[in-house]
Protein backbone atom coordinates (compact mmCIF):
# COMPACT_ATOMS: atom_id res chain seq x y z
CA UNK A 1 0.00 0.00 0.00
CA UNK A 2 1.41 3.37 -1.07
CA UNK A 3 1.05 6.05 1.60
CA UNK A 4 1.34 9.74 0.94
CA UNK A 5 -0.38 13.07 1.33
CA UNK A 6 -3.09 12.25 -1.23
CA UNK A 7 -3.44 8.52 -0.51
CA UNK A 8 -6.66 6.92 -1.66
CA UNK A 9 -7.83 9.85 -3.77
CA UNK A 10 -8.77 9.87 -7.42
CA UNK A 11 -7.01 12.55 -9.48
CA UNK A 12 -7.80 13.78 -12.99
CA UNK A 13 -4.92 15.53 -14.76
CA UNK A 14 -5.52 17.21 -18.12
CA UNK A 15 -2.62 17.86 -20.47
CA UNK A 16 -1.04 14.74 -18.95
CA UNK A 17 0.86 13.76 -22.08
CA UNK A 18 3.89 15.97 -21.42
CA UNK A 19 5.47 18.70 -19.33
CA UNK A 20 3.78 19.82 -16.13
CA UNK A 21 0.80 17.49 -16.62
CA UNK A 22 3.03 14.43 -16.92
CA UNK A 23 5.04 15.47 -13.86
CA UNK A 24 1.82 16.03 -11.90
CA UNK A 25 0.76 12.46 -12.64
CA UNK A 26 4.12 11.20 -11.40
CA UNK A 27 4.10 13.09 -8.10
CA UNK A 28 0.40 12.56 -7.35
CA UNK A 29 0.82 8.81 -7.86
CA UNK A 30 3.97 8.80 -5.73
CA UNK A 31 1.91 10.39 -2.97
CA UNK A 32 -0.75 7.70 -3.18
CA UNK A 33 -3.38 9.01 -5.60
CA UNK A 34 -5.00 6.98 -8.35
CA UNK A 35 -4.29 8.97 -11.51
CA UNK A 36 -6.35 9.50 -14.65
CA UNK A 37 -3.97 10.88 -17.27
CA UNK A 38 -6.05 12.80 -19.83
CA UNK A 39 -4.75 14.31 -23.04
CA UNK A 40 -5.98 15.05 -26.55
CA UNK A 41 -3.06 12.84 -27.64
CA UNK A 42 -4.07 9.47 -26.18
CA UNK A 43 -0.73 7.84 -26.98
CA UNK A 44 1.09 10.56 -25.03
CA UNK A 45 -1.22 10.04 -22.05
CA UNK A 46 -0.62 6.31 -22.25
CA UNK A 47 3.13 6.92 -22.34
CA UNK A 48 2.78 8.95 -19.14
CA UNK A 49 1.18 5.96 -17.41
CA UNK A 50 3.80 3.57 -18.77
CA UNK A 51 6.79 5.85 -18.25
CA UNK A 52 6.98 6.00 -14.50
CA UNK A 53 7.22 2.93 -12.31
CA UNK A 54 5.43 4.95 -9.66
CA UNK A 55 2.42 4.86 -11.94
CA UNK A 56 2.26 1.57 -13.81
CA UNK A 57 3.76 -0.30 -16.71
CA UNK A 58 2.50 -2.13 -19.73
CA UNK A 59 -1.13 -1.14 -20.05
CA UNK A 60 -3.52 1.77 -19.76
CA UNK A 61 -4.99 0.54 -16.50
CA UNK A 62 -2.33 -1.22 -14.48
CA UNK A 63 -3.23 -0.82 -10.85
CA UNK A 64 -6.15 1.59 -11.04
CA UNK A 65 -4.36 4.28 -13.05
CA UNK A 66 -5.70 4.97 -16.53
CA UNK A 67 -5.00 6.96 -19.68
CA UNK A 68 -7.88 8.64 -21.51
CA UNK A 69 -8.33 10.76 -24.61
CA UNK A 70 -9.87 14.15 -23.87
CA UNK A 71 -10.54 17.37 -25.76
CA UNK A 72 -10.97 19.97 -23.02
CA UNK A 73 -12.52 22.44 -25.44
CA UNK A 74 -15.45 20.06 -26.05
CA UNK A 75 -18.20 19.81 -23.44
CA UNK A 76 -19.32 16.55 -25.08
CA UNK A 77 -15.84 15.02 -24.68
CA UNK A 78 -15.76 16.10 -21.02
CA UNK A 79 -19.23 14.80 -20.15
CA UNK A 80 -18.44 11.47 -21.81
CA UNK A 81 -15.27 11.24 -19.72
CA UNK A 82 -17.16 11.95 -16.49
CA UNK A 83 -19.66 9.19 -17.29
CA UNK A 84 -16.82 6.77 -18.04
CA UNK A 85 -15.00 7.59 -14.81
CA UNK A 86 -18.13 7.24 -12.70
CA UNK A 87 -18.71 3.79 -14.20
CA UNK A 88 -15.08 2.76 -13.74
CA UNK A 89 -14.36 4.24 -10.32
CA UNK A 90 -17.91 4.58 -8.93
CA UNK A 91 -17.21 8.22 -7.99
CA UNK A 92 -15.92 11.41 -9.59
CA UNK A 93 -12.29 12.46 -9.03
CA UNK A 94 -11.80 14.66 -5.97
CA UNK A 95 -8.55 16.14 -7.33
CA UNK A 96 -8.81 18.00 -10.65
CA UNK A 97 -5.68 19.44 -12.26
CA UNK A 98 -6.22 21.74 -15.25
CA UNK A 99 -2.87 21.54 -17.01
CA UNK A 100 -3.95 21.33 -20.66
CA UNK A 101 -2.70 24.33 -22.60
CA UNK A 102 -1.47 25.45 -26.01
CA UNK A 103 0.35 28.42 -27.51
CA UNK A 104 -0.10 30.07 -30.90
CA UNK A 105 2.43 32.86 -30.62
CA UNK A 106 2.66 35.85 -32.94
CA UNK A 107 2.93 39.61 -32.83
CA UNK A 108 -0.47 41.10 -32.01
CA UNK A 109 -0.64 42.93 -35.35
CA UNK A 110 -0.12 39.62 -37.17
CA UNK A 111 -2.12 37.30 -34.89
CA UNK A 112 -4.99 35.58 -36.69
CA UNK A 113 -8.46 35.38 -35.20
CA UNK A 114 -8.30 31.58 -35.42
CA UNK A 115 -5.07 31.50 -33.39
CA UNK A 116 -6.62 33.80 -30.81
CA UNK A 117 -9.75 31.67 -30.54
CA UNK A 118 -7.98 28.31 -30.39
CA UNK A 119 -5.87 29.40 -27.41
CA UNK A 120 -8.93 30.70 -25.54
CA UNK A 121 -10.84 27.51 -26.33
CA UNK A 122 -8.22 25.26 -24.76
CA UNK A 123 -6.64 27.37 -22.04
CA UNK A 124 -9.62 29.36 -20.78
CA UNK A 125 -12.83 27.68 -21.91
CA UNK A 126 -11.30 24.24 -21.37
CA UNK A 127 -10.43 25.10 -17.77
CA UNK A 128 -13.95 26.45 -17.25
CA UNK A 129 -15.67 23.39 -18.71
CA UNK A 130 -13.58 20.95 -16.65
CA UNK A 131 -14.23 22.93 -13.47
CA UNK A 132 -17.94 23.25 -14.15
CA UNK A 133 -18.49 19.59 -15.05
CA UNK A 134 -16.46 18.01 -12.28
CA UNK A 135 -17.37 20.48 -9.53
CA UNK A 136 -21.03 19.79 -10.28
CA UNK A 137 -20.37 16.05 -10.00
CA UNK A 138 -18.63 16.59 -6.64
CA UNK A 139 -21.52 18.66 -5.26
CA UNK A 140 -24.04 16.04 -6.38
CA UNK A 141 -21.98 13.33 -4.66
CA UNK A 142 -21.47 15.55 -1.56
CA UNK A 143 -17.70 15.08 -1.85
CA UNK A 144 -15.01 17.63 -0.96
CA UNK A 145 -12.48 18.41 -3.65
CA UNK A 146 -9.45 20.37 -4.75
CA UNK A 147 -9.12 22.00 -8.16
CA UNK A 148 -5.71 23.29 -9.25
CA UNK A 149 -5.56 25.44 -12.37
CA UNK A 150 -2.32 26.13 -14.22
CA UNK A 151 -2.00 29.77 -15.22
CA UNK A 152 1.34 31.46 -16.00
CA UNK A 153 3.51 34.23 -14.61
CA UNK A 154 3.10 36.05 -17.94
CA UNK A 155 -0.57 36.51 -17.02
CA UNK A 156 0.69 39.14 -14.56
CA UNK A 157 3.39 40.81 -16.59
CA UNK A 158 2.57 40.18 -20.25
CA UNK A 159 4.95 38.83 -22.87
CA UNK A 160 5.72 39.89 -26.42
CA UNK A 161 4.12 37.68 -29.03
CA UNK A 162 1.60 36.24 -26.58
CA UNK A 163 -1.42 38.53 -26.39
CA UNK A 164 -3.69 35.51 -26.87
CA UNK A 165 -1.86 33.30 -24.35
CA UNK A 166 -1.51 35.97 -21.64
CA UNK A 167 -5.20 36.85 -22.00
CA UNK A 168 -6.19 33.21 -21.56
CA UNK A 169 -3.96 32.71 -18.52
CA UNK A 170 -5.09 35.97 -16.89
CA UNK A 171 -8.64 34.72 -17.39
CA UNK A 172 -7.74 31.53 -15.55
CA UNK A 173 -6.70 33.61 -12.51
CA UNK A 174 -10.00 35.47 -12.50
CA UNK A 175 -12.01 32.27 -12.90
CA UNK A 176 -10.05 30.60 -10.11
CA UNK A 177 -10.83 33.37 -7.64
CA UNK A 178 -14.51 33.49 -8.58
CA UNK A 179 -14.92 29.71 -8.53
CA UNK A 180 -13.26 29.55 -5.10
CA UNK A 181 -15.88 31.96 -3.74
CA UNK A 182 -18.74 29.96 -5.26
CA UNK A 183 -17.52 26.47 -4.36
CA UNK A 184 -16.20 27.07 -0.85
CA UNK A 185 -19.59 26.26 0.71
CA UNK A 186 -19.30 22.79 -0.85
CA UNK A 187 -15.80 22.30 0.62
CA UNK A 188 -14.28 22.44 -2.86
CA UNK A 189 -11.07 24.46 -2.94
CA UNK A 190 -9.85 26.16 -6.13
CA UNK A 191 -6.31 27.51 -6.52
CA UNK A 192 -4.01 28.52 -9.37
CA UNK A 193 -0.30 28.07 -9.92
CA UNK A 194 1.64 30.59 -12.00
CA UNK A 195 4.72 28.81 -13.32
CA UNK A 196 7.62 30.82 -14.62
CA UNK A 197 9.91 29.46 -17.30
CA UNK A 198 9.83 25.70 -16.88
CA UNK A 199 11.78 23.13 -18.90
CA UNK A 200 8.82 21.83 -20.92
CA UNK A 201 8.19 21.23 -24.64
CA UNK A 202 6.31 24.54 -24.74
CA UNK A 203 9.32 26.52 -23.46
CA UNK A 204 11.56 24.43 -25.72
CA UNK A 205 10.16 26.30 -28.72
CA UNK A 206 11.57 29.64 -27.47
CA UNK A 207 14.63 30.75 -29.52
CA UNK A 208 17.97 30.33 -27.73
CA UNK A 209 18.83 34.02 -27.47
CA UNK A 210 15.41 34.85 -26.06
CA UNK A 211 15.79 32.04 -23.51
CA UNK A 212 19.19 33.40 -22.48
CA UNK A 213 17.65 36.80 -21.80
CA UNK A 214 14.93 35.25 -19.66
CA UNK A 215 17.50 33.27 -17.66
CA UNK A 216 19.21 36.56 -16.75
CA UNK A 217 15.92 37.67 -15.17
CA UNK A 218 15.60 34.58 -12.96
CA UNK A 219 17.47 35.00 -9.64
CA UNK A 220 17.94 31.23 -9.31
CA UNK A 221 19.61 31.31 -12.73
CA UNK A 222 17.91 28.32 -14.35
CA UNK A 223 14.71 26.99 -15.81
CA UNK A 224 12.34 25.22 -13.44
CA UNK A 225 11.80 21.48 -13.56
CA UNK A 226 8.22 20.28 -14.17
CA UNK A 227 8.52 18.19 -11.01
CA UNK A 228 8.98 21.42 -9.02
CA UNK A 229 5.56 22.57 -10.23
CA UNK A 230 4.09 19.13 -9.60
CA UNK A 231 5.20 19.21 -5.97
CA UNK A 232 3.20 22.42 -5.46
CA UNK A 233 0.23 20.95 -7.34
CA UNK A 234 0.26 17.97 -5.00
CA UNK A 235 0.51 20.17 -1.90
CA UNK A 236 -2.53 22.17 -3.08
CA UNK A 237 -4.36 18.90 -3.76
CA UNK A 238 -3.79 17.64 -0.23
CA UNK A 239 -5.14 18.40 3.23
CA UNK A 240 -1.81 20.10 3.97
CA UNK A 241 -3.35 23.13 2.22
CA UNK A 242 -6.82 22.70 3.74
CA UNK A 243 -7.34 26.44 4.39
CA UNK A 244 -5.93 27.60 1.04
CA UNK A 245 -8.48 28.55 -1.62
CA UNK A 246 -8.68 31.35 -4.17
CA UNK A 247 -4.90 31.66 -4.02
CA UNK A 248 -2.40 32.18 -6.82
CA UNK A 249 1.04 30.72 -6.21
CA UNK A 250 4.04 31.98 -8.19
CA UNK A 251 6.60 29.23 -8.86
CA UNK A 252 9.17 31.12 -10.90
CA UNK A 253 12.63 30.97 -9.38
CA UNK A 254 12.10 34.63 -8.47
CA UNK A 255 11.39 35.87 -12.02
Amino acid sequence: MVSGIVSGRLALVTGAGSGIGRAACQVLSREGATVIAADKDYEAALETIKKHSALASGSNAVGDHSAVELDVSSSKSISELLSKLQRQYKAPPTIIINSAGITRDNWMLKLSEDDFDSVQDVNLKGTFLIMQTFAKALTEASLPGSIVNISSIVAKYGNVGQTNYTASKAGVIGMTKSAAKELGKFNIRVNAILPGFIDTPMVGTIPGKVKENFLKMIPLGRLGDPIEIAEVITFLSSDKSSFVTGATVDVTGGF
Side-chain angles (χ1 to χ4, degrees):
M1 173 71 75
V2 177
S3 63
I5 61 174
V6 289
S7 282
R9 300 186 189 179
L10 185 62
L12 170 66
V13 181
T14 72
S18 66
I20 291 169
R22 175 169 282 181
C25 291
Q26 182 179 358
V27 176
L28 286 164
S29 68
R30 185 197 74 200
E31 292 297 327
T34 297
V35 172
I36 302 135
D39 202 282
K40 194 170 185 180
D41 182 344
Y42 171 73
E43 292 300 324
L46 184 56
E47 180 63 22
T48 292
I49 295 295
K50 290 179 176 180
K51 188 175 178 64
H52 303 293
S53 59
L55 284 166
S57 61
S59 107
N60 69 332
V62 174
D64 285 328
H65 304 298
S66 57
V68 294
E69 183 177 346
L70 175 66
D71 177 0
V72 297
S73 68
S74 163
S75 56
K76 180 174 183 286
S77 179
I78 293 168
S79 61
E80 287 174 352
L81 174 61
L82 174 61
S83 297
K84 177 182 178 179
L85 296 182
Q86 288 182 317
R87 288 194 303 271
Q88 183 173 345
Y89 296 102
K90 313 304 180 192
T94 58
I95 296 171
I96 296 103
I97 313 301
N98 277 304
S99 185
I102 63 170
T103 55
R104 296 288 185 270
D105 296 350
N106 209 335
W107 300 104
M108 186 182 72
L109 299 184
K110 296 181 178 180
L111 187 68
S112 72
E113 188 173 347
D114 284 347
D115 281 349
F116 182 89
D117 288 346
S118 62
V119 169
Q120 307 312 310
D121 282 348
V122 173
N123 299 2
L124 186 59
K125 189 178 93 170
T127 298
F128 167 76
L129 291 174
I130 290 285
M131 281 204 297
Q132 182 185 57
T133 300
F134 285 91
K136 185 177 181 183
L138 288 172
T139 62
E140 290 172 349
S142 298
L143 289 171
S146 175
I147 300 171
V148 181
N149 298 324
I150 305 301
S151 178
S152 171
I153 196 62
V154 299
K156 280 187 178 181
Y157 302 118
N159 197 24
V160 294
Q162 290 196 314
T163 49
N164 52 355
Y165 183 76
T166 53
S168 71
K169 292 301 189 178
V172 167
I173 294 173
M175 279 201 312
T176 296
K177 291 181 177 294
S178 296
K181 292 181 185 298
E182 293 186 18
L183 297 175
K185 63 185 177 183
F186 301 109
N187 201 18
I188 298 170
R189 298 183 298 109
V190 190
N191 294 290
I193 295 174
L194 281 59
F197 290 89
I198 311 301
D199 191 10
T200 65
M202 188 179 289
V203 169
T205 64
I206 296 174
K209 285 188 177 179
V210 176
K211 195 179 295 184
E212 285 176 21
N213 288 333
F214 279 126
L215 285 172
K216 291 174 185 175
M217 299 167 67
I218 301 171
L220 291 185
R222 62 176 176 83
L223 296 178
D225 189 293
I227 291 291
E228 293 176 301
I229 306 298
E231 296 285 2
V232 182
I233 288 171
T234 304
F235 167 73
L236 290 174
S237 301
S238 77
D239 290 341
K240 301 240 179 229
S241 59
S242 54
F243 202 54
V244 180
T245 194
T248 56
V249 183
D250 296 7
V251 188
T252 68
F255 174 81

